[in-house]
Amino acid sequence: MGENTTEVPGEPGPADQLRALGVEEGGVLLVHASLRGTGLRAETLLDALRTVLGPEGTLVVPAFTPENSDTSPAHLALVRHAPDPVAFRAAMPPFDPEHTPSLGTGRLAERVRTTGGAVRSDHPQTSFAALGARAAELMKGHALDCHFGAESPLGKLVAADAQVLLVNVGFAVCSAFHHAEYLVPAHPTRTYRAVIRDERGGATWFAYEDAVLDDSDFARIGADFPAGHLRGGPLGRRGARLFPIGAAVEHATAWMAEKRH
C-alpha cells in the first residue's frame, strides 16, 4: 500500500516545497525518487510536480529495463533462479515501450510511465519516460546502440538545460553521470545484447557496441560535486536535492578523466 500524508494547515505542501527547492515553471526536470519514508504517494508527488512545472513544463523519469538484457546483473540474477536458464532466455518477451514495466525505478517513475499522455523512449534497456510539453521531442530518436550518449534523452536533456531532482536518493543513482562516460576521451566500449521486436512482431536478440557503464563511483563523484550548484531542502518527510544537469555532466566528465583508470 502507498503511504498517505495529511497536510497540516499552515505548513508547506509538496508543491510549495518543490518551488522552495527551485524547480522552475516551464522547465525540464529529470527526477530520480524513492518514496519510502517520505509520507508521499506517487500520485501526490506527481500532481505537485506537474503543478509546479505548469503546462509548458516537462517531467522526465528513468524507465529502465535491465532484466531485458542478458549482459546485465539484473538479468543474470533472474537466470540463477530459473529452473531452466536456456528455456528462460528463449521465452523472454521483446521490449515493448508501451507495456514493458520498469521494475527497479520506483513508484513515481512507474506512475509517470503509466499516466495517459506519457511518452517513452525506445531503448530496450535504458529507456526514459516523460510527461509534458516537450515529452515527444525529448524521447524520440533514442538510438538502440546508445544507452546514455548524444543519441539518447540524456543528450537532449543537457541541450535543454534541464534540472535534476534527487528525492530521498543519493548520487549513486544519478543517471546524468552516465552521460559523462561518453564524453571522456577514449572511453572504453563493450558488447551488449537485448531482446527487441522484429519486423514480424516476434522476439529477436540485438547485439551492439556501446560505452562501458560503471556507476560504482557515482557516490564519490556526487560527494565532490561543488556545493554552489546544489539546492537542498525538505520534500515530504525526507530531503531532496536539485541541480542543473549541465553542471553535473561537466563535473562528472572532469572527475572521471582525472580519477578513473
Side-chain angles (χ1 to χ4, degrees):
M1 294 178 63
E3 294 176 275
N4 278 297
T5 183
T6 301
E7 293 187 20
V8 178
E11 292 190 3
D16 294 323
Q17 292 175 322
L18 289 166
R19 292 188 183 97
L21 280 163
V23 174
E24 299 173 350
E25 181 179 359
V28 178
L29 182 68
L30 171 62
V31 180
H32 293 273
S34 169
L35 300 186
R36 186 182 301 274
T38 63
L40 298 172
R41 295 173 61 89
E43 297 87 346
T44 303
L45 182 53
L46 176 54
D47 287 347
L49 286 163
R50 298 183 80 178
T51 295
V52 174
L53 288 168
E56 299 304 315
T58 305
L59 172 63
V60 182
V61 294
F64 304 155
T65 50
E67 303 85 1
N68 191 50
S69 171
D70 70 356
T71 51
S72 77
H75 172 88
L76 296 175
L78 291 175
V79 170
R80 281 196 297 269
H81 296 92
D84 186 339
V86 175
F88 177 87
R89 185 179 189 277
M92 285 177 61
F95 174 72
D96 180 347
E98 293 188 10
H99 299 107
T100 302
S102 178
L103 302 178
T105 52
R107 284 177 283 154
L108 175 70
E110 267 296 87
R111 183 67 179 182
V112 171
R113 184 189 71 80
T114 57
T115 294
V119 182
R120 190 180 193 181
S121 70
D122 288 331
H123 198 281
Q125 190 174 356
T126 53
S127 66
F128 290 80
L131 281 168
R134 301 181 64 181
E137 168 199 347
L138 296 171
M139 295 300 103
K140 71 178 180 182
H142 193 168
L144 297 184
D145 60 352
C146 181
H147 286 283
F148 298 115
E151 295 180 277
S152 77
L154 278 183
K156 294 181 180 180
L157 292 176
V158 173
D161 293 324
Q163 295 177 302
V164 180
L165 181 67
L166 301 181
V167 180
N168 196 33
V169 295
F171 282 98
V173 301
C174 179
S175 61
F177 289 167
H178 279 307
H179 187 67
E181 294 178 301
Y182 290 75
L183 304 180
V184 176
H187 61 267
T189 63
R190 56 164 290 188
T191 299
Y192 296 88
R193 291 183 300 274
V195 189
I196 62 173
R197 194 177 301 281
D198 63 22
E199 295 178 354
R200 299 183 303 275
T204 186
W205 284 87
F206 173 66
Y208 56 100
E209 287 290 315
D210 199 12
V212 171
L213 303 175
D214 178 10
D215 59 10
S216 64
D217 53 9
F218 280 13
R220 293 168 55 207
I221 295 173
D224 290 340
F225 193 25
H229 293 302
L230 293 169
R231 294 186 65 171
L235 188 57
R237 300 184 189 128
R238 293 291 187 267
R241 285 176 286 191
L242 183 79
F243 50 91
I245 193 170
V249 170
E250 181 178 358
H251 163 72
T253 304
W255 195 101
M256 292 174 189
E258 177 184 356
K259 299 184 179 182
R260 277 191 177 182
H261 301 285

